[in-house]
Amino acid sequence: METHGVPLTPEQARSALADTEHVRSSAAALSATPWPTWFFVTLTLYIAALPVVYGGVMADSDWLLPRPAWLGIMLVTTAAYGALFAVAAKAWRERTGVALRLDVLPKRATVPLAVGLPVLLVGSAFAFRVTGRPVWLIAASLISAGVSVGFHLAFVRLHRKTA
């Protein structure tokens, strides 16, 4: 392979490949970078509210609010979260030139999150329905918020380490 009429030496070719790999890992790190701060806060609040909302929807009788109100809250907050997610993804793409991607994140972290968080959120609502004790919902809210903060900090560290 020639560059500007000058053949590459093996060392130059290896250096070019290393530079290419560095660019790929930097792009992966950027796409794995945490959400904008405002969205991280929104996501944490949303995740912390879900157990309480699910508990209200699944309660045997009206708990704090009528069941249709809980359903309405769930639909409105989910729609708002989806819209804010789209805004955050677009803003991040415009700022960095890289789309937010979950597939570049470490599987050892994302798989337990993808399995454990839904179990926590829905399981606490079932536990509340069976026992009638809101402590299940409060505990799940606190744990969910902690998980959100923990993952955000892990993504910040991942980004700083590879950038």
Side-chain angles (χ1 to χ4, degrees):
M1 177 176 186
E2 292 187 19
T3 306
H4 302 292
V6 179
L8 289 177
T9 65
E11 293 80 23
Q12 290 171 324
R14 279 192 273 288
S15 176
L17 287 173
D19 289 344
T20 302
E21 185 55 37
H22 178 70
V23 168
R24 283 186 188 150
S25 67
S26 294
L30 280 175
S31 61
T33 300
W35 315 108
T37 302
W38 65 265
F39 186 72
F40 155 66
V41 171
T42 302
L43 176 62
T44 300
L45 292 173
Y46 175 72
I47 288 175
L50 280 177
V52 176
V53 174
Y54 288 165
V57 169
M58 293 182 63
D60 281 334
S61 60
D62 289 346
W63 175 69
L64 300 178
L65 296 171
R67 184 171 292 163
W70 285 115
L71 285 170
I73 290 169
M74 186 170 62
L75 293 174
V76 168
T77 57
T78 301
Y81 168 76
L84 290 173
F85 179 86
V87 169
K90 183 176 185 244
W92 181 254
R93 189 173 41 255
E94 288 172 357
R95 193 171 104 217
T96 64
V98 179
L100 288 170
R101 294 177 38 206
L102 297 177
D103 64 325
V104 297
L105 299 173
K107 300 291 185 256
R108 68 183 185 279
T110 55
V111 170
L113 177 69
V115 173
L117 198 57
V119 168
L120 175 68
L121 298 175
V122 176
S124 64
F126 277 114
F128 170 68
R129 181 182 174 106
V130 170
T131 65
R133 300 186 68 210
V135 68
W136 293 102
L137 305 177
I138 294 165
S141 290
L142 293 173
I143 292 168
S144 298
V147 167
S148 178
V149 170
F151 267 77
H152 179 74
L153 294 175
F155 297 155
V156 167
R157 196 174 76 201
L158 172 70
H159 175 69
R160 286 186 182 147
K161 196 163 48 167
T162 57

